[in-house]
Amino acid sequence: MSDKDVQRIMVRHNTTSDYVIRLARPITEADDFSDELQVLAGAGPDDTVKLLIVSPGGSLDTCTLITKAMHECQAPITGYIGPTCASAGGAIALACDEWEVDEMSVLMIHTASFGDGGKAPEVEAGVSSKLRQIRRWVTNT
């Protein structure tokens, strides 16, 4: 074997990605967040994810799917808390691994919002059931 045949330099190619996701809208139907959910599902441990959160909140169902994807994401997630980061937006922010805050940051989270309507016994039964669900969600969050 000659000196020309000996490998003296090893090259290792590493690829990492830095994802920036802007959540600057209400948290609506889950299908409206399919791109964001794909990034969270595909980001690896060497990648980074930054969420820019400016949201008045919205759907608890979609918020739950997003935070579940965040907990399953292999990449560390940093949340920037914007001037309006409320309700479901606040819950998403709290699910981040780290946070960036500045003088404009405002975070608001609450247990639940209920609409009016229906007969009193039906509203009471629905509220009771929803309160149990919300308490479980708040405890898990």
Side-chain angles (χ1 to χ4, degrees):
M1 184 182 263
S2 72
D3 284 341
K4 288 182 180 181
D5 296 330
V6 176
Q7 295 287 332
R8 294 193 176 125
I9 299 175
M10 179 180 79
V11 178
R12 185 176 299 152
H13 296 279
N14 295 322
T15 303
T16 61
S17 296
D18 297 320
Y19 298 98
V20 178
I21 300 172
R22 188 178 65 245
L23 294 178
R25 62 190 187 277
I27 308 303
T28 54
E29 298 300 316
D31 287 346
D32 296 338
F33 293 86
S34 58
D35 292 338
E36 293 86 347
L37 292 169
Q38 283 296 107
V39 168
L40 294 170
D46 295 327
D47 297 329
T48 62
V49 176
K50 183 172 184 178
L51 294 180
L52 307 175
I53 308 166
V54 180
S55 175
S59 168
L60 174 62
D61 294 339
T62 302
C63 175
T64 300
L65 289 176
I66 292 171
T67 56
K68 179 182 185 310
M70 291 170 68
H71 291 300
E72 293 173 354
C73 183
Q74 294 179 14
I77 302 171
T78 301
Y80 167 74
I81 298 172
T84 301
C85 188
S87 194
I92 290 168
L94 290 176
C96 293
D97 300 309
E98 296 181 347
W99 304 272
E100 288 183 13
V101 296
D102 59 31
E103 65 275 357
M104 293 298 293
S105 297
V106 176
L107 176 73
M108 186 279 286
I109 189 163
H110 58 92
T111 58
S113 294
F114 299 109
D116 294 330
K119 297 178 183 173
E122 295 166 346
V123 170
E124 182 179 2
V127 167
S128 178
S129 173
K130 194 67 170 175
L131 279 173
R132 286 191 301 275
Q133 178 190 25
I134 294 298
R135 286 186 189 114
R136 285 191 308 269
W137 181 82
V138 168
T139 299
N140 291 337
T141 300

